[in-house]
Amino acid sequence: MDIHFEQVNFTYQPKSPFEQRVLFDIDLDIKEGSYTALVGHTGSGKSTLLQHLNALLKPTEGKVLIGDRVITPETNNKNLKPIRKKVGIVFQFPEAQLFEETVEKDIAFGPKNFGVSEEEAKVLAKENLTLVGLDDSYLERSPFDLSGGQMRRVAIAGVLAMEPEVLVLDEPTAGLDPQGRKEMMEMFERLHQEKNITIILVTHLMDDVANFADYVYVLEKGRIVKRGTPAEVFQDVAWLHEKQLGVPTAAEFAQRLIAKGVHFDSLPLTAEALADALLAQGGLAHDE
Amino acid sequence: MMNKLILGRYIPGDSLIHRLDPRAKLIASFYFIGIIFFANNWQSYLFLTLFTLGSIYLSKVDIGFFIRGVRPLLWLILFTVALQIFFTSGGEVYWRWGVFQLTEFGLRNGIFIFCRFVLIIFMSTLLTLTTPPLELSDAIEYLLRPLKAIKFPVHEISLMLSIALRFVPTLMDETEKIMNAQRARGVDFSEGNLVQKMKAVVPLLIPLFVSSFNRADDLATAMEARGYQGGEGRSKYRVLHWELRDTITIIAFVILTIGLIYLRN
């Protein structure tokens, strides 16, 4: 399912004394099966933008095309559920959305809202709990007895159980330990590869962008200021530094090597790419 | 939804009214609400209205804010006014139908009640629009101090008040976030009948309560870690200063009272 933004503008509390314009002429293209990253400063409008992806917010100008649905400022609030089923959003700190008595009920809550039967929802709950790396023994536990990381997993399982075609992740690893962070990102990558789920990732971590995304949008003050593949976007290191966005660790390190006279055909973005490039140059040369 | 509410918001500014001591403003607002009930003819209402408009003018806040502040309460006001108009007897009777009647006194009372409501809302909106919540809670703490004599826990109440005020916007944000998260999971907060709507609130309320508990726990720990041991022996960072303009405000209200007594019949 493709998502397409056409000249989207958004203003909070329009025509009131507290009016605040957040998005300016956003054009966005998300192809089915792609892995798109949205980066930008806090307050650049990322979170507002992602609420447009499943019609939680409607543009104040312009239109959003989600699959075959068109969302315009005039769109009625009724009958948006089919969109919400197809586009699952994992919000920042999703553990705050847990409320049921047991983990199983909480995960099954989403599917049941979309008309899945009780039994099927239970099966989905079990499957998705395994998917996020927790075993069946957690099914009957109260979500409030779990650790923060486990709660996060349950919350994500709750979104995955709706079997969305598009998965929107708003800083899914914020506040997790490095191991949990790695596992989580690898899980999303697996879903992307195996189930061909379209992923939209909002993040501050340029390493994740370099490792996983195939397209990047850079937002600044509500405008898209750069777009392209990670290789294109991260090429301009000086520009990124100027915007205080940073570059992936590998690229940062490669920069230092360049300063010392090493030549790269293109700036390596991941540790593997960097290692490959160095090996190709006969990295062991000075051992002779 | 909540965004439409103007009453209770603060708009930063730098006018005479903004700079007044919050104690003066608080006393004045309450006093105003008290004396508004003394007005009993059109001259006195006109006088009060002019006084209110003058205060609004001095605050340099757009009058539109105040009118918008009345809007959410409009139905309540109209309902009360309608009750007054149709059920008050006395004076010349213009129209009658069963228990309903339109009389001279009724009309008069209706109009007066309407003025009263609007003026009270205007004045309290003026207070909250020009006073940051923390200053208000400082003022309340100060004004409650005499109650210490009867063992009233003034410090605790004012601490609770300032913490509550501080967390209102945070909780509103949180509500919004959880609402969005649940909407994304297929909850519909606006559709269905009353029972369905009430059921839809559960996934919102429970996480809110849970996060409030957690927040309270964290906050209490953080306060203790910073050496908080209760109200005894604490000094103050924000100190209120009573200045000449505050005295003048109080004098203005005394003049207002004298004028009102003179105008009423």
PDB file of all heavy atoms in Angstrom, chain B residues 66-91:
ATOM      1  N   PHE B  66     -11.766  36.945  25.410  1.00  0.00           N
ATOM      2  CA  PHE B  66     -12.765  36.913  26.475  1.00  0.00           C
ATOM      3  C   PHE B  66     -14.091  36.420  25.935  1.00  0.00           C
ATOM      4  O   PHE B  66     -14.779  35.627  26.570  1.00  0.00           O
ATOM      5  CB  PHE B  66     -12.923  38.306  27.089  1.00  0.00           C
ATOM      6  CG  PHE B  66     -11.683  38.755  27.803  1.00  0.00           C
ATOM      7  CD1 PHE B  66     -10.681  39.419  27.131  1.00  0.00           C
ATOM      8  CD2 PHE B  66     -11.522  38.489  29.148  1.00  0.00           C
ATOM      9  CE1 PHE B  66      -9.534  39.814  27.784  1.00  0.00           C
ATOM     10  CE2 PHE B  66     -10.374  38.878  29.811  1.00  0.00           C
ATOM     11  CZ  PHE B  66      -9.372  39.549  29.128  1.00  0.00           C
ATOM     12  N   ILE B  67     -14.419  36.902  24.738  1.00  0.00           N
ATOM     13  CA  ILE B  67     -15.684  36.487  24.139  1.00  0.00           C
ATOM     14  C   ILE B  67     -15.641  34.990  23.856  1.00  0.00           C
ATOM     15  O   ILE B  67     -16.590  34.265  24.115  1.00  0.00           O
ATOM     16  CB  ILE B  67     -15.958  37.316  22.869  1.00  0.00           C
ATOM     17  CG1 ILE B  67     -16.195  38.765  23.291  1.00  0.00           C
ATOM     18  CG2 ILE B  67     -17.148  36.759  22.106  1.00  0.00           C
ATOM     19  CD1 ILE B  67     -16.156  39.765  22.183  1.00  0.00           C
ATOM     20  N   ARG B  68     -14.476  34.523  23.388  1.00  0.00           N
ATOM     21  CA  ARG B  68     -14.337  33.090  23.148  1.00  0.00           C
ATOM     22  C   ARG B  68     -14.410  32.307  24.463  1.00  0.00           C
ATOM     23  O   ARG B  68     -14.840  31.174  24.489  1.00  0.00           O
ATOM     24  CB  ARG B  68     -13.021  32.791  22.434  1.00  0.00           C
ATOM     25  CG  ARG B  68     -13.241  32.559  20.968  1.00  0.00           C
ATOM     26  CD  ARG B  68     -11.939  32.306  20.261  1.00  0.00           C
ATOM     27  NE  ARG B  68     -11.719  33.340  19.278  1.00  0.00           N
ATOM     28  CZ  ARG B  68     -10.682  34.137  19.247  1.00  0.00           C
ATOM     29  NH1 ARG B  68      -9.751  34.043  20.166  1.00  0.00           N
ATOM     30  NH2 ARG B  68     -10.575  35.039  18.315  1.00  0.00           N
ATOM     31  N   GLY B  69     -13.946  32.935  25.534  1.00  0.00           N
ATOM     32  CA  GLY B  69     -13.995  32.271  26.837  1.00  0.00           C
ATOM     33  C   GLY B  69     -15.423  32.037  27.294  1.00  0.00           C
ATOM     34  O   GLY B  69     -15.705  31.078  28.007  1.00  0.00           O
ATOM     35  N   VAL B  70     -16.329  32.908  26.881  1.00  0.00           N
ATOM     36  CA  VAL B  70     -17.726  32.770  27.287  1.00  0.00           C
ATOM     37  C   VAL B  70     -18.398  31.638  26.514  1.00  0.00           C
ATOM     38  O   VAL B  70     -19.280  30.962  27.012  1.00  0.00           O
ATOM     39  CB  VAL B  70     -18.481  34.105  27.056  1.00  0.00           C
ATOM     40  CG1 VAL B  70     -19.962  33.933  27.304  1.00  0.00           C
ATOM     41  CG2 VAL B  70     -17.909  35.182  27.951  1.00  0.00           C
ATOM     42  N   ARG B  71     -17.925  31.426  25.288  1.00  0.00           N
ATOM     43  CA  ARG B  71     -18.619  30.526  24.369  1.00  0.00           C
ATOM     44  C   ARG B  71     -18.917  29.129  24.932  1.00  0.00           C
ATOM     45  O   ARG B  71     -20.054  28.656  24.801  1.00  0.00           O
ATOM     46  CB  ARG B  71     -17.838  30.423  23.057  1.00  0.00           C
ATOM     47  CG  ARG B  71     -18.766  30.399  21.861  1.00  0.00           C
ATOM     48  CD  ARG B  71     -18.008  30.242  20.583  1.00  0.00           C
ATOM     49  NE  ARG B  71     -17.526  31.522  20.053  1.00  0.00           N
ATOM     50  CZ  ARG B  71     -16.552  31.603  19.150  1.00  0.00           C
ATOM     51  NH1 ARG B  71     -15.951  30.533  18.714  1.00  0.00           N
ATOM     52  NH2 ARG B  71     -16.176  32.777  18.694  1.00  0.00           N
ATOM     53  N   PRO B  72     -17.926  28.453  25.557  1.00  0.00           N
ATOM     54  CA  PRO B  72     -18.238  27.099  26.046  1.00  0.00           C
ATOM     55  C   PRO B  72     -19.349  27.089  27.099  1.00  0.00           C
ATOM     56  O   PRO B  72     -20.017  26.077  27.278  1.00  0.00           O
ATOM     57  CB  PRO B  72     -16.926  26.614  26.659  1.00  0.00           C
ATOM     58  CG  PRO B  72     -15.887  27.585  26.263  1.00  0.00           C
ATOM     59  CD  PRO B  72     -16.542  28.829  25.815  1.00  0.00           C
ATOM     60  N   LEU B  73     -19.539  28.228  27.776  1.00  0.00           N
ATOM     61  CA  LEU B  73     -20.541  28.268  28.851  1.00  0.00           C
ATOM     62  C   LEU B  73     -21.856  28.880  28.384  1.00  0.00           C
ATOM     63  O   LEU B  73     -22.782  29.047  29.168  1.00  0.00           O
ATOM     64  CB  LEU B  73     -20.006  29.083  30.033  1.00  0.00           C
ATOM     65  CG  LEU B  73     -18.771  28.487  30.704  1.00  0.00           C
ATOM     66  CD1 LEU B  73     -18.120  29.489  31.620  1.00  0.00           C
ATOM     67  CD2 LEU B  73     -19.149  27.234  31.461  1.00  0.00           C
ATOM     68  N   LEU B  74     -21.905  29.175  27.092  1.00  0.00           N
ATOM     69  CA  LEU B  74     -23.049  29.913  26.575  1.00  0.00           C
ATOM     70  C   LEU B  74     -24.373  29.210  26.854  1.00  0.00           C
ATOM     71  O   LEU B  74     -25.356  29.833  27.251  1.00  0.00           O
ATOM     72  CB  LEU B  74     -22.875  30.126  25.071  1.00  0.00           C
ATOM     73  CG  LEU B  74     -23.740  31.226  24.469  1.00  0.00           C
ATOM     74  CD1 LEU B  74     -23.394  32.564  25.093  1.00  0.00           C
ATOM     75  CD2 LEU B  74     -23.556  31.290  22.963  1.00  0.00           C
ATOM     76  N   TRP B  75     -24.396  27.877  26.674  1.00  0.00           N
ATOM     77  CA  TRP B  75     -25.648  27.139  26.843  1.00  0.00           C
ATOM     78  C   TRP B  75     -26.117  27.192  28.282  1.00  0.00           C
ATOM     79  O   TRP B  75     -27.307  27.352  28.551  1.00  0.00           O
ATOM     80  CB  TRP B  75     -25.506  25.697  26.367  1.00  0.00           C
ATOM     81  CG  TRP B  75     -25.398  25.649  24.889  1.00  0.00           C
ATOM     82  CD1 TRP B  75     -24.324  25.271  24.147  1.00  0.00           C
ATOM     83  CD2 TRP B  75     -26.400  26.057  23.943  1.00  0.00           C
ATOM     84  NE1 TRP B  75     -24.595  25.415  22.814  1.00  0.00           N
ATOM     85  CE2 TRP B  75     -25.848  25.893  22.647  1.00  0.00           C
ATOM     86  CE3 TRP B  75     -27.706  26.554  24.067  1.00  0.00           C
ATOM     87  CZ2 TRP B  75     -26.558  26.198  21.494  1.00  0.00           C
ATOM     88  CZ3 TRP B  75     -28.408  26.854  22.905  1.00  0.00           C
ATOM     89  CH2 TRP B  75     -27.836  26.677  21.646  1.00  0.00           C
ATOM     90  N   LEU B  76     -25.158  27.068  29.195  1.00  0.00           N
ATOM     91  CA  LEU B  76     -25.508  27.152  30.610  1.00  0.00           C
ATOM     92  C   LEU B  76     -26.133  28.516  30.917  1.00  0.00           C
ATOM     93  O   LEU B  76     -27.155  28.626  31.593  1.00  0.00           O
ATOM     94  CB  LEU B  76     -24.242  26.941  31.443  1.00  0.00           C
ATOM     95  CG  LEU B  76     -24.429  27.019  32.948  1.00  0.00           C
ATOM     96  CD1 LEU B  76     -25.158  25.785  33.441  1.00  0.00           C
ATOM     97  CD2 LEU B  76     -23.096  27.157  33.652  1.00  0.00           C
ATOM     98  N   ILE B  77     -25.490  29.548  30.385  1.00  0.00           N
ATOM     99  CA  ILE B  77     -25.976  30.908  30.628  1.00  0.00           C
ATOM    100  C   ILE B  77     -27.381  31.080  30.050  1.00  0.00           C
ATOM    101  O   ILE B  77     -28.304  31.534  30.731  1.00  0.00           O
ATOM    102  CB  ILE B  77     -25.019  31.941  30.001  1.00  0.00           C
ATOM    103  CG1 ILE B  77     -23.631  31.821  30.631  1.00  0.00           C
ATOM    104  CG2 ILE B  77     -25.570  33.353  30.160  1.00  0.00           C
ATOM    105  CD1 ILE B  77     -22.587  32.690  29.981  1.00  0.00           C
ATOM    106  N   LEU B  78     -27.538  30.662  28.803  1.00  0.00           N
ATOM    107  CA  LEU B  78     -28.841  30.834  28.155  1.00  0.00           C
ATOM    108  C   LEU B  78     -29.929  30.058  28.888  1.00  0.00           C
ATOM    109  O   LEU B  78     -31.047  30.532  29.041  1.00  0.00           O
ATOM    110  CB  LEU B  78     -28.764  30.394  26.692  1.00  0.00           C
ATOM    111  CG  LEU B  78     -27.961  31.335  25.795  1.00  0.00           C
ATOM    112  CD1 LEU B  78     -27.998  30.859  24.350  1.00  0.00           C
ATOM    113  CD2 LEU B  78     -28.504  32.761  25.886  1.00  0.00           C
ATOM    114  N   PHE B  79     -29.569  28.874  29.370  1.00  0.00           N
ATOM    115  CA  PHE B  79     -30.533  28.051  30.102  1.00  0.00           C
ATOM    116  C   PHE B  79     -31.002  28.779  31.361  1.00  0.00           C
ATOM    117  O   PHE B  79     -32.191  28.895  31.626  1.00  0.00           O
ATOM    118  CB  PHE B  79     -29.874  26.713  30.457  1.00  0.00           C
ATOM    119  CG  PHE B  79     -30.754  25.798  31.249  1.00  0.00           C
ATOM    120  CD1 PHE B  79     -31.864  25.202  30.662  1.00  0.00           C
ATOM    121  CD2 PHE B  79     -30.472  25.530  32.583  1.00  0.00           C
ATOM    122  CE1 PHE B  79     -32.661  24.354  31.393  1.00  0.00           C
ATOM    123  CE2 PHE B  79     -31.285  24.682  33.310  1.00  0.00           C
ATOM    124  CZ  PHE B  79     -32.384  24.093  32.717  1.00  0.00           C
ATOM    125  N   THR B  80     -30.042  29.289  32.112  1.00  0.00           N
ATOM    126  CA  THR B  80     -30.382  29.997  33.343  1.00  0.00           C
ATOM    127  C   THR B  80     -31.209  31.237  33.043  1.00  0.00           C
ATOM    128  O   THR B  80     -32.208  31.521  33.725  1.00  0.00           O
ATOM    129  CB  THR B  80     -29.088  30.425  34.077  1.00  0.00           C
ATOM    130  OG1 THR B  80     -28.130  29.396  33.936  1.00  0.00           O
ATOM    131  CG2 THR B  80     -29.349  30.703  35.526  1.00  0.00           C
ATOM    132  N   VAL B  81     -30.765  31.960  32.025  1.00  0.00           N
ATOM    133  CA  VAL B  81     -31.483  33.177  31.660  1.00  0.00           C
ATOM    134  C   VAL B  81     -32.922  32.838  31.256  1.00  0.00           C
ATOM    135  O   VAL B  81     -33.880  33.487  31.691  1.00  0.00           O
ATOM    136  CB  VAL B  81     -30.752  33.908  30.512  1.00  0.00           C
ATOM    137  CG1 VAL B  81     -31.606  35.034  29.954  1.00  0.00           C
ATOM    138  CG2 VAL B  81     -29.424  34.448  31.006  1.00  0.00           C
ATOM    139  N   ALA B  82     -33.058  31.754  30.469  1.00  0.00           N
ATOM    140  CA  ALA B  82     -34.388  31.357  30.027  1.00  0.00           C
ATOM    141  C   ALA B  82     -35.267  31.012  31.228  1.00  0.00           C
ATOM    142  O   ALA B  82     -36.431  31.409  31.298  1.00  0.00           O
ATOM    143  CB  ALA B  82     -34.286  30.171  29.067  1.00  0.00           C
ATOM    144  N   LEU B  83     -34.712  30.291  32.184  1.00  0.00           N
ATOM    145  CA  LEU B  83     -35.467  29.949  33.391  1.00  0.00           C
ATOM    146  C   LEU B  83     -35.948  31.216  34.087  1.00  0.00           C
ATOM    147  O   LEU B  83     -37.101  31.315  34.483  1.00  0.00           O
ATOM    148  CB  LEU B  83     -34.586  29.147  34.360  1.00  0.00           C
ATOM    149  CG  LEU B  83     -34.464  27.656  34.112  1.00  0.00           C
ATOM    150  CD1 LEU B  83     -33.700  27.002  35.242  1.00  0.00           C
ATOM    151  CD2 LEU B  83     -35.852  27.029  33.990  1.00  0.00           C
ATOM    152  N   GLN B  84     -35.049  32.163  34.235  1.00  0.00           N
ATOM    153  CA  GLN B  84     -35.386  33.419  34.887  1.00  0.00           C
ATOM    154  C   GLN B  84     -36.502  34.140  34.145  1.00  0.00           C
ATOM    155  O   GLN B  84     -37.473  34.603  34.735  1.00  0.00           O
ATOM    156  CB  GLN B  84     -34.160  34.338  34.940  1.00  0.00           C
ATOM    157  CG  GLN B  84     -33.189  34.010  36.040  1.00  0.00           C
ATOM    158  CD  GLN B  84     -33.772  34.300  37.403  1.00  0.00           C
ATOM    159  OE1 GLN B  84     -34.639  35.147  37.543  1.00  0.00           O
ATOM    160  NE2 GLN B  84     -33.312  33.572  38.394  1.00  0.00           N
ATOM    161  N   ILE B  85     -36.343  34.214  32.832  1.00  0.00           N
ATOM    162  CA  ILE B  85     -37.292  34.990  32.035  1.00  0.00           C
ATOM    163  C   ILE B  85     -38.687  34.388  32.112  1.00  0.00           C
ATOM    164  O   ILE B  85     -39.680  35.082  32.277  1.00  0.00           O
ATOM    165  CB  ILE B  85     -36.808  35.086  30.570  1.00  0.00           C
ATOM    166  CG1 ILE B  85     -35.592  35.995  30.493  1.00  0.00           C
ATOM    167  CG2 ILE B  85     -37.915  35.589  29.657  1.00  0.00           C
ATOM    168  CD1 ILE B  85     -35.047  36.207  29.114  1.00  0.00           C
ATOM    169  N   PHE B  86     -38.766  33.055  32.029  1.00  0.00           N
ATOM    170  CA  PHE B  86     -40.084  32.451  31.892  1.00  0.00           C
ATOM    171  C   PHE B  86     -40.756  32.127  33.213  1.00  0.00           C
ATOM    172  O   PHE B  86     -41.931  31.850  33.247  1.00  0.00           O
ATOM    173  CB  PHE B  86     -39.988  31.195  31.012  1.00  0.00           C
ATOM    174  CG  PHE B  86     -39.689  31.530  29.585  1.00  0.00           C
ATOM    175  CD1 PHE B  86     -38.544  31.042  28.977  1.00  0.00           C
ATOM    176  CD2 PHE B  86     -40.544  32.348  28.859  1.00  0.00           C
ATOM    177  CE1 PHE B  86     -38.263  31.364  27.665  1.00  0.00           C
ATOM    178  CE2 PHE B  86     -40.267  32.672  27.547  1.00  0.00           C
ATOM    179  CZ  PHE B  86     -39.125  32.185  26.943  1.00  0.00           C
ATOM    180  N   PHE B  87     -40.018  32.152  34.306  1.00  0.00           N
ATOM    181  CA  PHE B  87     -40.637  31.724  35.546  1.00  0.00           C
ATOM    182  C   PHE B  87     -40.698  32.804  36.618  1.00  0.00           C
ATOM    183  O   PHE B  87     -41.063  32.538  37.739  1.00  0.00           O
ATOM    184  CB  PHE B  87     -39.929  30.476  36.096  1.00  0.00           C
ATOM    185  CG  PHE B  87     -40.194  29.257  35.275  1.00  0.00           C
ATOM    186  CD1 PHE B  87     -39.239  28.775  34.397  1.00  0.00           C
ATOM    187  CD2 PHE B  87     -41.420  28.603  35.350  1.00  0.00           C
ATOM    188  CE1 PHE B  87     -39.491  27.665  33.624  1.00  0.00           C
ATOM    189  CE2 PHE B  87     -41.672  27.485  34.574  1.00  0.00           C
ATOM    190  CZ  PHE B  87     -40.710  27.020  33.707  1.00  0.00           C
ATOM    191  N   THR B  88     -40.276  34.017  36.277  1.00  0.00           N
ATOM    192  CA  THR B  88     -40.365  35.080  37.267  1.00  0.00           C
ATOM    193  C   THR B  88     -41.682  35.824  37.074  1.00  0.00           C
ATOM    194  O   THR B  88     -42.039  36.170  35.953  1.00  0.00           O
ATOM    195  CB  THR B  88     -39.204  36.074  37.097  1.00  0.00           C
ATOM    196  OG1 THR B  88     -37.999  35.338  36.979  1.00  0.00           O
ATOM    197  CG2 THR B  88     -39.128  37.017  38.277  1.00  0.00           C
ATOM    198  N   SER B  89     -42.377  36.031  38.169  1.00  0.00           N
ATOM    199  CA  SER B  89     -43.628  36.777  38.040  1.00  0.00           C
ATOM    200  C   SER B  89     -43.439  38.181  38.608  1.00  0.00           C
ATOM    201  O   SER B  89     -42.466  38.447  39.320  1.00  0.00           O
ATOM    202  CB  SER B  89     -44.745  36.043  38.786  1.00  0.00           C
ATOM    203  OG  SER B  89     -44.314  35.807  40.113  1.00  0.00           O
ATOM    204  N   GLY B  90     -44.346  39.041  38.303  1.00  0.00           N
ATOM    205  CA  GLY B  90     -44.262  40.405  38.835  1.00  0.00           C
ATOM    206  C   GLY B  90     -44.203  41.402  37.702  1.00  0.00           C
ATOM    207  O   GLY B  90     -43.748  41.098  36.599  1.00  0.00           O
ATOM    208  N   GLY B  91     -44.666  42.602  37.958  1.00  0.00           N
ATOM    209  CA  GLY B  91     -44.670  43.648  36.953  1.00  0.00           C
ATOM    210  C   GLY B  91     -45.706  43.380  35.885  1.00  0.00           C
ATOM    211  O   GLY B  91     -46.639  42.583  36.068  1.00  0.00           O
TER     212      GLY B  91
END
